[in-house]
Amino acid sequence: MLFDTNRVKENKIRSRETRSRNFLLRRVFSDLESRILNLPDPWEDGLIEGCRSDDLKELSKNNKIKISEFIYSSAKTESIDLYANLMQLHWSNDPYSDFSEKFKLLKPKGQFLCCLFGAETLNELRDSFLNAEIKLFGEPSPRIIPLPEIRDVGNLAAKVGLNNCVVDRDIIKVNYKKILDLFLDIRKMGETNAILRRRKSLMPKKLIQEVEKLYLKNFSDKKTGEDVDYIRATFEVIFLYGTK
């Protein structure tokens, strides 16, 4: 096992209110909701996991669809004709089994959608942590979770048995004044480190300073008309659609 699933759930619960206000997650939830509302094939009974009703303004009005923040344990095999998962599956310890389990919930010709963070997410922060820890401590520790490439998601979908697969991505670039602002945003999204082998002690101040120094050196931008360096953060969101 790679991830501490209890810690993942704790992080999500702790960030309930801030997640609903986070600009990036609002953008992702709105995008997936639009995709569901514009699906080419009709559906009646649906299940969406990974958010709360307040996150989906239109779909929450439909009493034929269940919206669950975490796993909806009452769902039965071949009981629904629409399944969607929002920003949960990148925390899977066994992606094939988890995708297969959700796939089995669908009736024949049912539609499957999901979105999750992809491999380019926080690549600048990953690089800065790696080099800062090697410089200060001689070796790195797991700080940013490993994330799938877009082709990995497509290959997994085909392996599970999804048909008519469409995989695309949204690359979102965000500028922050300080690295602590980026850390805070990650926490507000409920996406803080839950790797089992993570260091559980508080992050040393000298490490934070070295990470920010390297970040500014290698991944900084200046906004037009401002004489201030901003650190640049990349978020890659992968979207998958397929049918049973």
Side-chain angles (χ1 to χ4, degrees):
M1 298 232 314
L2 177 61
F3 302 123
D4 180 343
T5 53
N6 289 328
R7 180 59 179 265
V8 172
K9 189 170 183 179
E10 288 170 5
N11 290 341
K12 298 291 185 182
I13 291 172
R14 190 184 299 117
S15 67
R16 272 177 176 156
E17 299 307 320
T18 53
R19 272 190 295 141
S20 65
R21 298 193 300 270
N22 179 269
F23 79 95
L24 192 147
L25 291 185
R26 286 205 312 268
R27 170 170 167 167
V28 172
F29 290 167
S30 176
D31 192 335
L32 196 77
E33 183 174 44
S34 295
R35 291 170 188 244
I36 293 173
L37 292 170
N38 292 295
L39 283 173
D41 299 318
W43 54 272
E44 291 185 1
D45 298 307
L47 170 62
I48 299 176
E49 293 179 333
C51 67
R52 296 189 293 170
S53 296
D54 291 347
D55 297 320
L56 304 173
K57 293 182 179 179
E58 294 301 319
L59 290 171
S60 62
K61 301 173 185 176
N62 187 333
N63 58 15
K64 290 289 188 73
I65 194 162
K66 300 176 184 67
I67 299 174
S68 177
E69 187 176 8
F70 300 108
I71 294 173
Y72 185 77
S73 57
S74 299
K76 299 178 181 179
T77 300
E78 296 192 356
S79 63
I80 54 177
D81 47 24
L82 170 71
Y83 174 80
N85 188 290
L86 287 85
M87 308 305 283
Q88 283 188 328
L89 291 171
H90 54 263
W91 287 109
S92 173
N93 280 313
D94 188 346
Y96 176 77
S97 294
D98 287 343
F99 268 72
S100 296
E101 181 182 317
K102 306 306 181 185
F103 178 73
K104 290 174 183 176
L105 300 177
L106 291 172
K107 300 173 185 177
K109 297 185 179 180
Q111 300 177 88
F112 181 102
L113 299 95
C114 74
C115 57
L116 64 159
F117 279 129
E120 290 192 32
T121 299
L122 298 177
N123 54 22
E124 303 94 345
L125 184 59
R126 189 190 308 275
D127 183 86
S128 300
F129 261 122
L130 173 69
N131 288 296
E133 290 197 294
I134 288 175
K135 178 179 178 180
L136 294 176
F137 310 124
E139 60 179 6
S141 61
R143 298 282 183 181
I144 311 298
I145 69 170
L147 292 163
E149 300 277 355
I150 189 169
R151 64 175 178 273
D152 298 328
V153 175
N155 290 339
L156 178 60
K159 187 178 179 182
V160 167
L162 278 173
N163 301 307
N164 307 311
C165 290
V166 177
V167 188
D168 64 292
R169 63 180 184 165
D170 185 10
I171 300 291
I172 304 166
K173 303 280 188 179
V174 186
N175 286 331
Y176 294 91
K177 288 185 178 180
K178 299 179 294 185
I179 199 163
L180 291 179
D181 294 337
L182 172 56
F183 291 163
L184 182 60
D185 236 10
I186 294 169
R187 184 178 179 82
K188 286 180 177 178
M189 286 190 280
E191 294 290 335
T192 46
N193 193 356
I195 298 174
L196 282 167
R197 295 187 298 106
R198 69 189 183 278
R199 286 182 179 165
K200 299 179 182 179
S201 57
L202 290 175
M203 197 181 303
K205 185 177 181 180
K206 64 178 181 178
L207 175 59
I208 296 174
Q209 291 172 336
E210 186 63 28
V211 170
E212 185 164 46
K213 177 182 173 182
L214 290 170
Y215 211 132
L216 284 167
K217 177 182 177 182
N218 298 315
F219 307 105
S220 64
D221 292 322
K222 272 189 170 64
K223 288 188 178 181
T224 304
E226 295 187 33
D227 190 25
V228 178
D229 287 321
Y230 289 82
I231 59 172
R232 179 178 69 253
T234 299
F235 296 90
E236 177 189 19
V237 182
I238 298 174
F239 292 87
L240 167 68
Y241 168 82
T243 60
K244 190 167 185 179

